[in-house]
Amino acid sequence: ECADRATYLHDMFLASDTTVALLSDVPNSGPQDAPIPFSEAISTQSQVAQLAPSGAPRMLLHNVIAPNFGDLNARLADMATQAATGHVAGFKVYTAWGPNGQGFSLEDPHLGLPVIQQAHDTGVKVFTAHKGLPLMRFDAAHNGPDDIVAVSRQFPDMNFVVFHGAWD
């Protein structure tokens, strides 16, 4: 009960001084196993909007993507579909998380760069990466910030955010 939507909305927006929140998600391999499916995040966002006068935006949404799971073209299509909803404030990746403990680089021309290009092409100009905080089964080789620094130079009109400030 402590993690249901009503409790979250109460604690985050009614019992605190929070003005704006960002609803994100944990690493997952796609829509089929996401703890917070994007459609549910949109529903939560809609309920938050009802708490504010005139539906003022009080909640932003991340869309977590994992290009290293399954068919990349399906992931890119999912990104376009989610962006078309108008609810994606930014895309988020966990580059150190992946199948068999293998992460990926944002500079990878087969995984990372196509995902950033797709975010750019859909008009979502905020791209977030979880970097540095070493969670269980994370690939240390892909948990540093070097790749995000490099790709930020290739996409100067985008905003790149590093969660956890490259802690490790």
Side-chain angles (χ1 to χ4, degrees):
E1 290 180 17
C2 68
D4 68 1
R5 183 179 290 142
T7 302
Y8 171 77
L9 295 175
H10 174 269
D11 291 352
M12 185 61 69
F13 294 102
L14 301 176
S16 77
D17 292 329
T18 302
T19 302
V20 177
L22 172 67
L23 184 57
S24 194
D25 206 349
V26 297
N28 61 79
S29 60
Q32 63 277 8
D33 76 342
I36 305 173
F38 197 67
S39 60
E40 290 299 316
I42 291 172
S43 179
T44 301
Q45 184 185 49
S46 296
Q47 289 185 19
V48 168
Q50 294 173 16
L51 300 175
S54 305
R58 296 189 66 196
M59 176 175 282
L60 303 174
L61 303 180
H62 267 163
N63 184 228
V64 175
I65 51 173
N68 52 340
F69 281 88
D71 177 42
L72 177 61
N73 289 325
R75 295 287 181 249
L76 297 175
D78 286 344
M79 289 175 70
T81 299
Q82 302 308 353
T85 68
H87 293 275
V88 180
F91 287 106
K92 181 180 179 184
V93 294
Y94 288 84
T95 58
W97 189 73
N100 302 316
Q102 177 67 43
F104 68 97
S105 170
L106 292 172
E107 293 179 280
D108 182 332
H110 304 292
L111 285 176
L113 288 175
V115 167
I116 297 169
Q117 186 67 57
Q118 180 74 333
H120 181 275
D121 293 349
T122 64
V124 177
K125 300 295 179 102
V126 176
F127 197 90
T128 301
H130 175 110
K131 294 286 191 177
L133 186 62
L135 299 178
M136 190 180 340
R137 293 188 288 264
F138 266 31
D139 179 0
H142 296 291
N143 210 23
D146 294 347
D147 59 343
I148 201 165
V149 172
V151 298
S152 71
R153 292 183 181 116
Q154 295 177 49
F155 296 89
D157 61 331
M158 291 183 69
N159 294 304
F160 290 88
V161 179
V162 178
F163 268 35
H164 310 297
W167 172 309
D168 188 20

